Amino acid sequence: MTIDPTREQAVIADLLAQTPTDAEHLLPLLLQVQAAVGFVSPQAIRQVAQAFNLSRAEVYGVVTFYHDLREAPVGDHVIQLCMAEACQAVGCRELAAHASQKLGVPLGETTADGHVHLEAGYCFGNCALGPTVRIGDRIVGGVTPARFDELLETLPGRHGNTRPVAGESAA
Amino acid sequence: MTRIFVPNDTGARSVGADEVAAALMNAQVVQSGLATIVRNGSRGAYWLEPLVEIDTPSGRIGFANVTVDDVAGLFADGLPDQTHAKCLGVVDALPWFAGQTRLTFARVGRIDPLSLSDYRALGGFAGLERGCTMDAKAIVDEVTVSGLRGRGGAAFPAGIKWNTVRNANAPQKYIVCNADEGDSGTFADRLLMEADPFQLIEGMTIAALAVGATRGFVYLRSEYPHAAQIFGRALTIAREAGVLGPSVLGTAHTFDITLRMGGGAYICGEETALLESLEGKRGTVRPKPPLPALTGLFGCPTVINNVLTFAAATDVLARGAHAYAGLGVDRSTGTMPFQLGGNMQRGGVVELGFGVTLRDLLERFGGGSYSGRPLRAIQVGGPLGAYLPASQWDTPLTYEHFAAIGAMLGHGGIVAFDDTVDMAAQAEFAMAFCAHESCGKCTPCRIGSTRGVEVIQRLRRRENPRLQWQVLEELCETMEFGSLCALGGLTPMPVRSVMKHFSADLLPSAGGGSVTVEVGR
């Protein structure tokens, strides 16, 4: 997942134009940058810090604190496996082992082709219907290894389609 | 027209409710105009989801675990087919529902979550309307007399907190709702926000009238995208209807609510870390004092309560403090929406007055394990709560009874494990989770949790186990008494419960297997 720096700058400038720049709007803005660009680059930090009249260190501190904010791009699709207790009780550790083997990467890494980033999540509030998996804003319950494989097959771009680029229109 | 209810909450959707709703849209009864589809919230009986209900003169008839393939057979001659293998009969009559005392969750699953008329028809706004006729002190007194305690886990009396904010002399005060429901095994906040969002809005508005606040925030975790969507729409509807805004329900009070999303940090469920995060900073814990009630958001007096606390306040006002306090036992008054999850046959939200035993909840409502194997350990109160062995399951569910056995109710999450569980792995995970989520502000939590993982790993490898055991005991003590907040302070609770009740797993005999504990991204 990459984005042209000029385009990134324009996307962020657009977002900045629509937000007040009191400190209380910093995290919401950074979450928007993350959603639009896929990560928060050093360039983005510089741009945001200037707009909010904060030091780069302050913004960097916020970026590194929150798990949702990434400093570097990851795969086209982020798949989060809930690894918290309620899902542990119904086999999420076994599911994680299967997923890692199937994709050839441990939790926290991206497949070599950049298609899937696999990682742990901690609770999607679906604790009576685990194991639970999150893909984008979709929460899926009762995920067996076989169901996981089906979910993988439904991801767009799996079979050589053009990969969607974050920040660009999917169309 | 016959209404067909198909739940639209995260849980029901996670097992196919949207697909069922889409199939029903194409069904003959809907296409011909005889029936219409209502997307209600889930009733919280997740073991029945997708639970499709159909209006009949004798009540709503339910069909459990409906799949797309079942849709064609739900109706016979235009009426619900009560001979269908998945037909449950009248849903309200099921023992799982009939045995509950639903106050906070009374409307949940019955109504269209975004219909103000549905909300009003089932008692919505009765509390706020009464509050609008009372002075601020009377509202606070009502909450104090009810004995309502913070449902987020700390169980601090809500009336005392509200009174502190009410008495504070400041031009600006805030209402903050902690919807950062990070504990595994808890989902009541999410369900309430998805299935009855106006109740939270009403409860926060009552708090605003009580303390003289004009602005509120809901801090919602990013792991709940669907709750964010529904609650965001509810805020817009409430504003358009004049519930929120410059004139709350036509009175002279001004109050509005802003929805803010978290960034995936568990620690932001700690109230002072949450306030830091709302202010746009790293979510690190603030030392107390000063209390948030006096120096809270942006340095102003702030009521910060959990979703369920604000929701319960609507019942306190609507029914009166004494009616509310009549439920529960001793100082644990009212009801608690317990959440059954993990390896449980009939998981979901079970709201009951405090005082029922854990065993009753597990057996009568939970129906034993999902796997069919014997239950072995029950973790109550989230990742910082104790693991309870069978010998403790007769403990009544009250704040005091749980504290007396070295456990806590927390936010009411109950996670069941069967006899395949490796309790050493669970103890190691408790420390690993703390290490992953520590804000880093204080040393006992930041360093202690990592040392805890190492010590437990050595124990599991049987490297000088007697020494490691002693080190682990001392480490737990240091974390408990030396940490700045409950994350470091309570992580020893599950660890100690494993040391005390499941020590054989932690000191395996030769040849014992072990599970790798993975934490991180």
Side-chain angles (χ1 to χ4, degrees), chain B residues 178-256:
Chain B
N178 183 344
D180 197 48
E181 183 178 49
D183 288 355
S184 172
T186 65
F187 43 85
D189 294 354
R190 176 191 59 68
L191 178 57
L192 191 99
M193 290 179 72
E194 292 180 0
D196 194 16
F198 295 124
Q199 188 178 181
L200 175 56
I201 293 171
E202 181 183 351
M204 290 177 69
T205 309
I206 289 170
L209 300 188
V211 304
T214 53
R215 197 173 173 203
F217 288 88
V218 172
Y219 186 89
L220 177 65
R221 59 200 302 261
S222 62
E223 289 84 348
Y224 288 178
H226 194 58
Q229 199 187 33
I230 292 179
F231 191 74
R233 282 160 63 195
L235 284 177
T236 305
I237 293 167
R239 264 181 223 119
E240 285 168 357
V243 177
L244 295 174
S247 172
V248 169
L249 289 184
T251 64
H253 299 285
T254 296
F255 185 61
D256 209 337

Side-chain angles (χ1 to χ4, degrees), chain A residues 3-171:
Chain A
I3 180 168
D4 166 53
T6 318
R7 166 116 183 96
E8 178 195 355
Q9 203 170 354
V11 167
I12 295 170
D14 258 7
L15 294 173
L16 283 171
Q18 295 163 40
T19 182
T21 51
D22 322 79
E24 64 167 291
H25 295 99
L26 178 63
L27 180 57
L29 185 271
L30 289 172
L31 291 169
Q32 287 175 352
V33 172
Q34 170 70 41
V37 181
F39 65 110
V40 185
S41 69
Q43 158 61 28
I45 289 173
R46 190 174 294 116
Q47 207 175 339
V48 171
Q50 190 167 26
F52 275 74
N53 197 23
L54 294 167
S55 71
R56 276 185 290 149
E58 284 169 301
V59 179
Y60 180 71
V62 172
V63 171
T64 51
F65 185 83
Y66 295 96
H67 298 307
D68 288 353
L69 301 174
R70 303 173 193 278
E71 290 179 76
V74 292
D76 299 339
H77 302 284
V78 175
I79 300 184
Q80 292 182 316
L81 309 179
C82 178
M83 295 302 289
E85 289 90 340
C87 285
Q88 290 166 7
V90 286
C92 74
R93 290 186 176 116
E94 291 75 10
L95 177 66
H98 168 83
S100 284
Q101 199 204 3
K102 174 91 183 169
L103 291 167
V105 289
L107 292 183
E109 290 187 18
T110 304
T111 53
D113 63 359
H115 185 60
V116 173
H117 179 77
L118 184 69
E119 67 181 20
Y122 292 96
C123 198
F124 303 108
N126 198 33
C127 314
L129 292 169
T132 300
V133 168
R134 178 177 180 177
I135 305 172
D137 278 350
R138 184 172 174 212
I139 311 280
V140 188
V143 181
T144 57
R147 181 90 178 95
F148 181 84
D149 294 351
E150 286 170 22
L151 290 171
L152 272 188
E153 287 303 317
T154 64
L155 293 179
R158 179 108 178 118
H159 302 290
N161 303 338
T162 311
R163 281 201 226 145
V165 176
E168 307 278 356
S169 163

